[in-house]
Amino acid sequence: MKRVLVTGGTGFTGSRVVSLLIRKGYRVRCLIRPTSDRTRIEGYAVEWAEGDLGDMGSLKAAMKDVEILVNMASIGFGHAPNIVNTAVESEIGRAVFISTTAIFTTLNAPSRKIRLVAEETIRNSPLAYTILRPTMIYGSAGDRNMSRLIRYLRKYPVFPILGDGESLQQPVYVGDVARAAVSVLEEDKTIRKDYNIPGARALTMNQVVDTICGFLEKRVLKVHLPAGPFVGILKTIEGVGIKLPIKSEQILRLNEDKAFSFEDARRDFGYAPLGFEEGIGREIREMAN
């Protein structure tokens, strides 16, 4: 029975990876901060290792006697060199890293640069790695994306869209991301490769809203507003250090096409994501209970 270290195991997606690994017979150890909320994986047969991704000592202790690393924690905070170097020193035999399709944005986002460097660090290492890049993850009241939209559309009769709403989105169901992270461990052909793992098909923002409203059985008026002026105002506010619930970068990202093929993932490890209609239907029913 192989021992797996999971980072980010208490999170929205990571907790589902922990559950799948245990069901498949792996021995799971989770690296967590002392203040981490363990609610999502309470009751699972998990070995705990307290520490921090920025602390080489705690990383080394967590990786002791571990054969597999599943890094569900974000690689967008600059910790990749620590994780990779410690994994190499600890002679980790197999590693999975979660990145994001956001690296393909045309925007000059600081997080993009960090993630690109992180991926390059992983690729330049001797690790038997696989890099997975999900699109926007959704799937339950615990997500930070669609659940907010569902709550808004349920409550209000008008929904403002900054832009024409025709830019493509391809949200991916959380269960599909978790299954991908575990499935690649069982396919040697995925070693030293990277894969985009989006939802089944791309939709416009208008279609996303209409689909959700269909499940809610509610008519909501979509009001399209020019994105440019709002981006300019937000940049001015951000420039003086004021933090707002939405950033100018988020508006610009919503007006970029984010459509990706998953043919390589389908071929190499049988990736077959849910359609948005099925996935969002599950989320809406869960939130109604």
Side-chain angles (χ1 to χ4, degrees), residues 232-288:
I233 293 168
L234 287 174
K235 283 185 175 180
T236 300
I237 295 172
E238 291 163 1
V240 298
I242 298 174
K243 293 185 178 180
L244 296 173
I246 188 168
K247 298 179 180 179
S248 57
E249 181 186 321
Q250 289 174 298
I251 296 175
L252 292 170
R253 284 280 293 142
L254 282 172
N255 285 279
E256 280 189 318
D257 280 337
K258 295 178 284 295
F260 301 90
S261 169
F262 55 87
E263 179 57 28
D264 290 346
R266 184 202 62 77
R267 181 193 64 233
D268 286 357
F269 59 95
Y271 181 69
L274 287 181
F276 181 72
E277 292 80 3
E278 183 175 353
I280 204 67
R282 291 184 184 184
E283 179 165 355
I284 290 169
R285 287 190 292 273
E286 178 187 319
M287 291 177 65

Side-chain angles (χ1 to χ4, degrees), residues 3-289:
R3 179 179 278 124
V4 183
L5 175 66
V6 180
T7 67
T10 60
F12 174 59
T13 309
S15 58
R16 288 164 172 80
V17 171
V18 168
S19 174
L20 286 175
L21 288 168
I22 290 172
R23 275 188 272 168
K24 284 184 170 289
Y26 292 95
R27 296 172 63 188
V28 177
R29 179 185 295 166
C30 288
L31 175 65
I32 60 167
R33 291 186 295 271
T35 56
S36 293
D37 181 359
R38 308 183 190 188
T39 304
R40 288 192 176 104
I41 50 177
E42 278 181 349
Y44 289 114
V46 171
E47 185 180 336
W48 304 104
E50 290 192 356
D52 188 275
L53 295 174
D55 176 28
M56 296 286 281
S58 60
L59 267 176
K60 191 169 183 178
M63 291 188 191
K64 184 178 180 181
D65 300 323
V66 165
E67 297 162 276
I68 299 169
L69 168 66
V70 179
N71 190 81
M72 300 302 298
S74 172
I75 60 172
F77 295 107
H79 297 308
N82 281 354
I83 299 167
V84 170
N85 291 336
T86 307
V88 172
E89 290 176 13
S90 302
E91 299 182 344
I92 297 291
R94 188 74 170 89
V96 178
F97 292 88
I98 299 296
S99 182
T100 171
T101 55
I103 65 168
F104 298 113
T105 180
T106 59
L107 303 178
N108 189 28
S111 60
R112 175 180 180 270
K113 296 176 184 176
I114 295 171
R115 290 184 173 110
L116 285 171
V117 170
E119 286 200 14
E120 192 65 17
T121 299
I122 295 164
R123 278 192 289 270
N124 288 338
S125 79
L127 291 173
Y129 71 82
T130 305
I131 297 172
L132 297 176
R133 301 190 197 97
T135 48
M136 183 180 69
I137 304 172
Y138 74 98
S140 79
D143 76 40
R144 293 181 293 179
N145 301 303
M146 289 298 164
S147 63
R148 293 177 181 176
L149 179 57
I150 291 166
R151 291 188 185 98
Y152 183 97
L153 293 173
R154 182 178 278 135
K155 187 174 182 179
Y156 299 104
V158 177
F159 181 67
I161 296 178
L162 297 176
D164 62 10
E166 289 301 303
S167 296
L168 294 173
Q169 322 292 317
Q170 202 167 350
V172 60
Y173 188 69
V174 62
D176 292 327
V177 179
R179 278 188 290 275
V182 177
S183 295
V184 296
L185 294 174
E186 299 168 352
E187 291 289 350
D188 287 348
K189 66 181 70 173
T190 66
I191 292 175
R192 299 193 67 80
K193 291 184 182 179
D194 47 78
Y195 300 92
N196 297 330
I197 49 171
R201 71 181 181 92
L203 306 90
T204 67
M205 189 62 185
N206 292 323
Q207 290 173 318
V208 168
V209 172
D210 290 344
T211 301
I212 294 172
C213 288
F215 278 102
L216 297 176
E217 297 182 341
K218 183 180 177 182
R219 187 184 296 275
V220 173
L221 175 65
K222 299 189 295 293
V223 177
H224 296 92
L225 303 170
F230 285 93
V231 170
I233 293 168
L234 287 174
K235 283 185 175 180
T236 300
I237 295 172
E238 291 163 1
V240 298
I242 298 174
K243 293 185 178 180
L244 296 173
I246 188 168
K247 298 179 180 179
S248 57
E249 181 186 321
Q250 289 174 298
I251 296 175
L252 292 170
R253 284 280 293 142
L254 282 172
N255 285 279
E256 280 189 318
D257 280 337
K258 295 178 284 295
F260 301 90
S261 169
F262 55 87
E263 179 57 28
D264 290 346
R266 184 202 62 77
R267 181 193 64 233
D268 286 357
F269 59 95
Y271 181 69
L274 287 181
F276 181 72
E277 292 80 3
E278 183 175 353
I280 204 67
R282 291 184 184 184
E283 179 165 355
I284 290 169
R285 287 190 292 273
E286 178 187 319
M287 291 177 65
N289 294 330

